[in-house]
Amino acid sequence: MSDSPAPLADPHLVYDPVTGDGPKDVVILGSTGSIGTQAIDLVLRNPERFRVTGLSANGGRVALLAEQAHRLRVRTVAVAREDVVPALGEALFAHYGAGEPLPEILAGPDAATQIAASDCHTVLNGITGSIGLAPTLAALEAGRTLALANKESLIVGGPLVKALAEPGQIIPVDSEHAALFQSLAAGTRADVRKLVVTASGGPFRGRSRAELAHVTVEDALAHPTWAMGPVITINSATLVNKGLEVIEAHLLYDIPFERIEVVVHPQSYVHSMVEFTDGSTIAQATPPDMRGPIAIGLGWPERVPDAAPAFDWSTASTWEFFPLDTDAFPSVGLARHVGELAGTAPAVFNAANEECVDAFLRGALPFNGIMETVTRVVDEHGSPGTGTSLTVPDVLEAETWARARARELTERTGNTAQTGNTAQTATAEARA
């Protein structure tokens, strides 16, 4: 453990350089998800650079996991759901030829944590949700370089991560934080004036708070730029994802919240920027494609040629930037607030939001009700204790309370809305 004041992520530092000419050994957590599948595509196109030794997944896509394991010839496969182990064994047996040794299978809720501490150089954490915290901590404690796509690890467990990580041990994989990481390489830490995190604005850019009151689930899922899962897509519509990224940027780069700005950039070409004290702004730009940030996470300090598409500068394009409408999208301000509170407050924010998004997707909560309910849960939680005394049980207890309270509030809101709709129907029928 280091007492160095250096930030968690620093492009000027190389925590554990690879020696020799062989490929870098990598473990991929969340291998059947979006980050995992794109990482595997990158690895298969660069066998001289990377060798995957272990994979982990939840267990919902057993056939894909077995296919990945066979193509990559991994040593170990980890699956969270113990009930799918027989099906996984059959799928592996079907892929492997007679006499070929099958990979070791780890199973259970701690399987990803076990494989994160296994013998390798880099662990790519592409798990979604706060269940990614324990594997993050295990990889750091084992001394692995951590390519971090699981933002919840930092959001809910920031002090825990900071207490374990050595300077330069974490390389961010989120597109915004990979962009900041690369832009920060242009100057020293003392040269940095502010971080500028870009946001697409989601499907509701330009709408007022009043205009957002009646948007539908279908409206919210129609993201103009990225194809993502429903929870992440709704977080983009509310800009909660941007609030989480502000907290993450603060923790990764040790920049005060007042020096982290969010700007709306609909084209999603500029993934984030760094403004330096001399007035210069360095931006990192590529067409929207996560393989670029993944390549930074796995390959740094070297770049991976042709990791992702580049711009065609022979074609005209327009890039726009707008200030954030904090009235229509209060999520970023609330995220700054919980980030400054620290302790368990970010975990409460994140867990309450996940419950409210689920309620919205089920039709039990209006769109504006997501942030109204999250704000109420955060306010009721109050100001927690801060510092590195935070423990994993503290985080889990706070999340459990936040989820339960959010469910209570959304159920009450849903019942009120249903009663109101019934009353309106009865009035209309009486008038008819």
Side-chain angles (χ1 to χ4, degrees):
M1 188 182 303
S2 173
D3 296 324
S4 170
L8 290 178
D10 188 335
H12 301 287
L13 299 175
V14 179
Y15 166 70
D16 185 14
V18 176
T19 56
D21 298 326
K24 184 185 296 184
D25 286 344
V26 177
V27 164
I28 299 176
L29 310 182
S31 69
T32 59
S34 175
I35 294 294
T37 53
Q38 291 178 86
I40 288 172
D41 171 68
L42 185 75
V43 167
L44 290 172
R45 288 190 287 115
N46 294 275
E48 75 288 352
R49 289 175 176 266
F50 308 112
R51 175 176 54 220
V52 177
T53 59
L55 300 171
S56 88
N58 178 56
R61 305 174 74 182
V62 167
L64 176 58
L65 180 59
E67 179 188 349
Q68 291 174 339
H70 181 253
R71 289 190 72 185
L72 296 164
R73 293 294 197 269
V74 301
R75 293 194 300 256
T76 310
V77 176
V79 62
R81 290 174 47 188
E82 295 180 84
D83 62 301
V84 305
V85 170
L88 176 59
E90 291 178 8
L92 287 169
F93 187 76
H95 278 286
Y96 283 75
E100 282 189 284
L102 296 176
E104 173 191 18
I105 298 177
L106 303 175
D110 297 326
T113 304
Q114 288 179 260
I115 201 170
S118 64
D119 186 21
C120 66
H121 180 278
T122 298
V123 173
L124 170 62
N125 189 347
I127 296 172
T128 299
S130 57
I131 58 170
L133 174 59
T136 282
L137 298 178
L140 293 173
E141 193 164 21
R144 312 299 174 229
T145 295
L146 178 63
L148 186 61
N150 174 251
K151 62 166 57 73
E152 291 86 358
S153 294
L154 280 176
I155 303 305
V156 308
L160 298 170
V161 174
K162 292 185 79 170
L164 278 177
E166 294 287 346
Q169 192 176 0
I170 295 177
I171 303 174
V173 173
D174 269 350
S175 61
E176 294 79 5
H177 297 100
L180 293 171
F181 186 82
Q182 295 172 77
S183 299
L184 284 164
T188 68
R189 179 174 167 75
D191 292 332
V192 176
R193 177 177 289 159
K194 71 166 72 168
L195 307 181
V196 182
V197 179
T198 55
S200 70
F204 305 134
R205 178 179 60 83
R207 298 199 195 185
S208 67
R209 184 171 180 81
E211 291 172 325
L212 293 174
H214 304 293
V215 301
T216 67
V217 171
E218 291 73 20
D219 294 334
L221 289 175
H223 195 280
T225 307
W226 297 94
M228 305 172 289
V231 174
I232 298 175
T233 304
I234 300 302
N235 283 348
S236 179
T238 60
L239 265 67
V240 161
N241 68 322
K242 224 37 63 174
L244 296 176
E245 287 163 12
V246 167
I247 297 174
E248 193 177 2
H250 165 74
L251 292 167
L252 282 170
Y253 303 115
D254 197 26
I255 299 295
F257 282 102
E258 64 269 19
R259 289 167 52 199
I260 304 174
E261 185 176 345
V262 173
V263 65
V264 175
H265 170 50
Q267 292 78 24
S268 298
Y269 292 154
V270 174
H271 300 293
S272 279
M273 302 176 274
V274 174
E275 180 182 310
F276 291 96
T277 53
D278 64 353
S280 298
T281 296
I282 304 297
Q284 189 273 333
T286 55
D289 191 307
M290 280 304 299
R291 286 172 294 179
I294 291 168
I296 292 296
L298 295 183
W300 195 260
E302 297 179 351
R303 292 186 179 270
V304 181
D306 301 315
F311 287 113
D312 177 5
W313 295 109
S314 66
T315 302
S317 63
T318 300
W319 298 8
E320 301 171 291
F321 299 90
F322 302 93
L324 176 66
D325 183 346
T326 56
D327 179 60
F329 301 100
S331 51
V332 174
L334 182 60
R336 292 181 193 276
H337 172 64
V338 300
E340 289 169 344
L341 288 176
T344 50
V348 167
F349 173 80
N350 185 65
N353 176 69
E354 288 181 358
E355 291 296 329
C356 291
V357 167
D358 180 67
F360 170 70
L361 291 171
R362 291 186 285 104
L365 195 65
F367 183 78
N368 284 344
I370 297 174
M371 288 315 303
E372 290 169 357
T373 306
V374 173
T375 299
R376 181 166 174 181
V377 174
V378 167
D379 288 344
E380 290 183 9
H381 179 250
S383 299
T386 59
T388 56
S389 60
L390 185 72
T391 65
V392 173
D394 291 338
V395 171
L396 297 177
E397 182 181 353
E399 286 190 327
T400 300
W401 174 83
R403 292 184 189 280
R405 184 58 180 143
R407 284 194 293 267
E408 289 174 5
L409 293 173
T410 54
E411 183 178 350
R412 191 177 305 167
T413 301
N415 290 338
T416 301
Q418 186 174 11
T419 300
N421 290 338
T422 302
Q424 290 175 2
T425 301
T427 300
E429 290 174 348
R431 287 176 178 170

